Amino acid sequence: MPVLFALIALLSVMSLLLLLLPLQKGLLKGRITLAVSLIAMAGSWYFFINPPHLWQLTVPAHFPPLIHTFTHFIRFSSEGITPLLLLITGTLLPVLIAGALRDEKRRLSEDHFFAWTLLSTGLYFALLTTAHIYMLLVLWGIAAIPLFMMITGTTEGMAATGKKTLILFGSAHGLMATGAVMAVALSGTPFIDSIHLDT
């Protein structure tokens, strides 16, 4: 699944670059984000047409044992409607960015909106395709950061909305963690496509 991994890496790296580079003009950030989103859309279409079944990160044998332990978690799958969901997300991303870019010409957006949007989309791609239930929990927790940063803003109302979102996200994360531990204990496997339990 190198295409998916490249998409996740592209979105994540570009979002970090937009956060770190001293680009003063929001329009420039928006145009860069639009270009990246068009690449992501093309990648999601390629993934939809040629969906691989399973991909797992492998490292050479001479790497330290600790790294081999972590590669056990980095496993992605394209089961079910995953390719369709990636296609919808990848296709809607440039539309969202184009709309935000149009509004950017009339009024300045919240700080780093474009960067957080790219990071949130990259994490969403990873969430949709991860095959390890504990990696799903880790990614879900990380996904709260860009979501909170996009929602919270300079006004008190936006800050309150951001706090409520974080509380809801954290509560869902706690319930998911409990369910994940129970599912692994009952099924004996942490891989999502191998967990077969009655509701």
Side-chain angles (χ1 to χ4, degrees):
M1 199 176 293
V3 173
L4 175 67
F5 192 74
L7 278 177
I8 295 170
L10 172 70
L11 292 166
S12 303
V13 169
M14 287 306 299
S15 67
L16 293 176
L17 286 176
L18 288 176
L19 285 172
L20 298 175
L21 291 178
L23 299 175
Q24 299 299 326
K25 294 184 178 179
L27 283 175
L28 179 58
K29 290 183 179 181
R31 288 174 184 142
I32 293 171
T33 306
L34 183 60
V36 173
S37 67
L38 289 171
I39 296 171
M41 181 180 71
S44 67
W45 275 91
Y46 179 85
F47 184 84
F48 179 75
I49 295 169
N50 305 297
H53 175 65
L54 185 68
W55 180 81
Q56 182 164 0
L57 180 67
T58 56
V59 294
H62 65 273
F63 276 56
L66 183 62
I67 294 178
H68 286 278
T69 303
F70 279 111
T71 59
H72 180 67
F73 295 91
I74 305 175
R75 182 174 176 177
F76 296 98
S77 174
S78 60
E79 291 284 329
I81 63 169
T82 299
L84 178 61
L85 293 174
L86 286 176
L87 175 68
I88 294 171
T89 305
T91 304
L92 289 179
L93 181 61
V95 177
L96 170 69
I97 298 301
L101 190 56
R102 183 195 62 199
D103 291 340
E104 186 75 21
K105 295 177 181 177
R106 293 183 296 190
R107 60 179 178 82
L108 293 176
S109 64
E110 293 300 322
D111 196 26
H112 301 307
F113 169 79
F114 293 109
W116 294 124
T117 302
L118 285 182
L119 183 58
S120 184
T121 306
L123 288 168
Y124 182 65
F125 280 9
L127 275 168
L128 282 176
T129 55
T130 186
H132 199 288
I133 198 163
Y134 293 144
M135 178 58 81
L136 176 73
L137 291 175
V138 171
L139 291 171
W140 182 271
I142 297 171
I145 298 170
L147 182 65
F148 173 77
M149 296 303 292
M150 278 193 294
I151 293 173
T152 190
T154 54
T155 65
E156 290 184 8
M158 292 178 75
T161 304
K163 289 176 185 176
K164 290 175 185 175
T165 303
L166 204 59
I167 291 169
L168 289 172
F169 219 83
S171 302
H173 194 245
L175 291 172
M176 283 175 62
T178 304
V181 171
M182 290 171 63
V184 172
L186 291 172
S187 65
T189 177
F191 297 109
I192 296 171
D193 54 357
S194 300
I195 296 176
H196 300 289
L197 297 172
D198 293 334
T199 306

